[in-house]
Amino acid sequence: MKKYFILIHLLFLTILANAQVEKSSELYKTIKEKDSLLFNIGFNNCDIIQFKKLVSDNFEFYHDQGGIAKSKSEFIQSIENGLCKLDYKPKRVIDEKSLDIFPLNNNGVLYGAIQTGTHSFYAIEKNKEEYLTSVANFTHLWILENEKWKLSKGLSYNHKDVDKPTDNKLLFSDKEETERWLEQKSIPALGIGYIEDGKIKQVSVFGELEKGKTAPKNTIWNVASLTKPITALVSLKLIDSGKLSLDEALYKYYIDQDIINDPRAKKLTLRIILSHQTGFSNWRGNNENGKLSFDFEPGTKYQYSGEGFEYLKKVLENKFNKSIQQLADELIFKPLKMHNTNFVWNEQYESRFAKWHTEKGGKIYPTKKHNTASGADDLLTTIEDYTIFVNYLVNGAGLSINLFKEILSEQVRINDFKHFGLGWWIDENINSNKDFAMVHGGDDIGVHTIAFIIPKTKQGLIIFTNSDNGTGAFQEVLLKYLGKNGQGIMEVEMKR
């Protein structure tokens, strides 16, 4: 061990004692020329003759990903069986600014040179622009053998792989291209529903339910808070049929025991709940005592609340003596033939459920198999079913014109760029024509979903993902399908 340490130490002393040569020197030009022959002609064109001419019989090559080639023949064989058989043409480009040459002398006589630098590798595919695949550092030892320069040792290390650029023409239509893009973003599965001119144009599922298990078109997704627009439409259908009123007090149908002695409970209406003005926190479990309570006077300002929609579910169930599932079945699911949508877990979903994945490492969260329906969260559905639902809304949902206008109108101001209507928030001025978009999202651990409607153009877009990384897909999908309107929505969403 001591012997090898001394040799390594002497090598470094040699390098330090012999400073790099000037770029104008003959040695620099010579080594650069040999490098060009080896790579620009040999590597880039799979010209084996150049390797045979320039590589020493004593050659050794060390690669931090490909391992060790212990001889010239082994190295050349790896080129012939690897490099020359790729399904694309490789190209190596040296960063000339990084290139340094250090002379090696023995008692004042030049016998070799050390070449160091950074090189980049590209792929060239037919009818496509070349693209970067990786960047690495390299160190080459050139030795004069019988007055001819030969590459004696090679090291290629510190490789940094670069993701293949996405072919936007194929993205979200070609399965292989889309799933490669998803893998780069660490998103196991993606569901897309797209509506144009009030008609469903695309329903697609890409990726995996979990590692090694392909996600089918009828994948079951937990869509988190995209449950709320369903509950909202159930309420609106009952209002439209005259069985409820938008502004009637709800305490006569139901009142939570936690607020039974609070006079503010009598101020709750469907309008207040559907526009998130109840004064409830998002979940009562967030309160110190774990009980439902008011943070402010109902109807005075906006505060997003899952509890509000849980309250609404109980109002509806008590008023009509039916479960939220039964009401949704009668008013939405069965008429629209949404056969794969349910508020509670069904064991038949197990084999096609999109498992929830963590942000780092893609680990799987435990599946929550709820047996109790929520009016705010955890709806189970397919991308096809939910796209049918959104398309129903795009085309008016069978509601009266005046009631549908209430959905879109400003019930409460969220900020300078958006307001909340009934069941949806409204992104304002998404383009130069001052059009608007209806938006609602769903976010839980391992779940990110979102839906958009542009009433003027009768467009709709639904995005489902099963990962903490899911929002990383939203921008590209939004821009791909909604173009400038999608850009406008993004700008509104980024404003605070």
Side-chain angles (χ1 to χ4, degrees), residues 143-372:
I143 297 293
L144 276 169
E145 296 180 0
N146 299 321
E147 298 184 353
K148 292 183 179 180
W149 287 102
K150 299 284 187 176
L151 183 62
S152 178
K153 299 288 185 290
L155 294 90
S156 189
Y157 52 95
N158 193 30
H159 279 81
K160 295 175 182 176
D161 292 332
V162 178
D163 288 332
K164 180 181 177 181
T166 302
D167 187 335
N168 287 321
K169 292 180 181 178
L170 297 177
L171 196 57
F172 313 129
S173 59
D174 180 80
K175 180 178 174 64
E176 183 177 341
E177 185 74 4
T178 304
E179 292 184 351
R180 185 177 62 79
W181 177 82
L182 287 173
E183 187 175 357
Q184 291 173 7
K185 291 183 172 290
S186 298
I187 301 171
L190 170 70
I192 296 175
Y194 176 57
I195 298 157
E196 187 175 272
D197 296 326
K199 296 178 181 178
I200 296 173
K201 292 292 184 181
Q202 181 180 341
V203 173
S204 301
V205 174
F206 304 96
E208 298 180 320
L209 302 175
E210 57 184 302
K211 191 69 174 177
K213 191 171 183 179
T214 300
K217 189 175 180 179
N218 65 344
T219 290
I220 295 292
W221 309 77
N222 181 313
V223 296
S225 288
L226 279 185
T227 307
K228 294 182 179 72
I230 299 282
T231 304
L233 187 57
V234 168
S235 305
L236 293 166
K237 297 291 276 185
L238 291 167
I239 291 168
D240 208 42
S241 64
K243 296 177 181 178
L244 281 172
S245 172
L246 190 57
D247 294 304
E248 68 177 310
L250 299 176
Y251 72 92
K252 55 188 175 182
Y253 305 126
Y254 172 78
I255 188 166
D256 191 284
Q257 290 301 305
D258 288 351
I259 56 172
I260 196 166
N261 295 318
D262 193 319
R264 290 174 290 188
K266 293 186 176 182
K267 295 186 176 182
L268 294 174
T269 65
L270 283 172
R271 186 189 300 274
I272 284 172
I273 290 177
L274 293 176
S275 57
H276 291 279
Q277 298 183 75
T278 59
F280 298 149
S281 60
N282 193 18
W283 298 110
R284 69 182 72 195
N286 298 336
N287 300 333
E288 286 187 11
N289 61 6
K291 293 185 176 183
L292 187 66
S293 61
F294 292 98
D295 292 339
F296 54 83
E297 194 76 12
T300 59
K301 63 180 180 178
Y302 169 81
Q303 179 169 279
Y304 188 84
S305 175
E307 285 291 348
F309 275 72
E310 285 294 278
Y311 201 97
L312 174 56
K313 184 204 78 162
K314 293 170 183 175
V315 167
L316 297 176
E317 290 181 337
N318 276 273
K319 161 71 173 171
F320 296 101
N321 197 29
K322 294 179 180 179
S323 70
I324 188 67
Q325 181 71 45
Q326 288 174 307
L327 291 167
D329 280 339
E330 291 174 11
L331 298 169
I332 302 174
F333 301 159
K334 287 182 178 178
L336 298 183
K337 298 181 180 178
M338 294 170 62
H339 301 306
N340 286 290
T341 303
N342 209 315
F343 283 87
V344 296
W345 180 260
N346 185 322
E347 288 304 320
Q348 294 180 357
Y349 295 162
E350 184 73 48
S351 63
R352 53 191 173 104
F353 180 70
K355 298 290 181 67
W356 306 332
H357 291 75
T358 63
E359 177 183 3
K360 295 180 180 179
K363 295 180 180 178
I364 296 176
Y365 289 108
T367 300
K368 294 180 182 177
K369 300 179 180 181
H370 294 286
N371 295 315
T372 302

Side-chain angles (χ1 to χ4, degrees), residues 35-212:
D35 181 278
S36 180
L37 289 170
L38 189 66
F39 285 95
N40 292 352
I41 296 177
F43 185 93
N44 293 350
N45 294 286
C46 195
D47 187 339
I48 300 299
I49 293 173
Q50 297 301 321
F51 290 102
K52 290 179 177 178
K53 285 182 178 179
L54 292 167
V55 172
S56 170
D57 290 338
N58 300 315
F59 181 70
E60 292 179 347
F61 181 61
Y62 300 86
H63 193 286
D64 63 352
Q65 293 179 346
I68 304 171
K70 296 181 179 180
S71 67
K72 177 179 180 177
S73 61
E74 185 180 341
F75 176 68
I76 290 176
Q77 189 177 22
S78 71
I79 295 291
E80 290 179 321
N81 295 331
L83 176 72
C84 299
K85 292 185 178 180
L86 293 172
D87 55 3
Y88 61 86
K89 182 181 178 182
K91 177 182 175 181
R92 180 261 201 178
V93 177
I94 194 171
D95 178 3
E96 294 197 10
K97 292 181 180 179
S98 72
L99 184 59
D100 290 321
I101 308 296
F102 300 86
L104 294 175
N105 294 295
N106 184 9
N107 295 323
V109 178
L110 182 70
Y111 71 89
I114 293 175
Q115 174 194 13
T116 66
T118 302
H119 50 192
S120 301
F121 297 89
Y122 294 81
I124 303 172
E125 297 185 41
K126 188 177 181 180
N127 299 324
K128 293 183 180 180
E129 292 185 9
E130 65 181 51
Y131 56 90
L132 182 67
T133 60
S134 66
V135 179
N137 299 114
F138 71 93
T139 299
H140 291 161
L141 174 62
W142 293 87
I143 297 293
L144 276 169
E145 296 180 0
N146 299 321
E147 298 184 353
K148 292 183 179 180
W149 287 102
K150 299 284 187 176
L151 183 62
S152 178
K153 299 288 185 290
L155 294 90
S156 189
Y157 52 95
N158 193 30
H159 279 81
K160 295 175 182 176
D161 292 332
V162 178
D163 288 332
K164 180 181 177 181
T166 302
D167 187 335
N168 287 321
K169 292 180 181 178
L170 297 177
L171 196 57
F172 313 129
S173 59
D174 180 80
K175 180 178 174 64
E176 183 177 341
E177 185 74 4
T178 304
E179 292 184 351
R180 185 177 62 79
W181 177 82
L182 287 173
E183 187 175 357
Q184 291 173 7
K185 291 183 172 290
S186 298
I187 301 171
L190 170 70
I192 296 175
Y194 176 57
I195 298 157
E196 187 175 272
D197 296 326
K199 296 178 181 178
I200 296 173
K201 292 292 184 181
Q202 181 180 341
V203 173
S204 301
V205 174
F206 304 96
E208 298 180 320
L209 302 175
E210 57 184 302
K211 191 69 174 177

Side-chain angles (χ1 to χ4, degrees), residues 21 25-32 101-103 110 112-113 149:
V21 298
S25 71
E26 285 302 315
L27 179 59
Y28 187 94
K29 292 177 182 178
T30 298
I31 298 301
K32 186 179 176 184
I101 308 296
F102 300 86
L110 182 70
W149 287 102

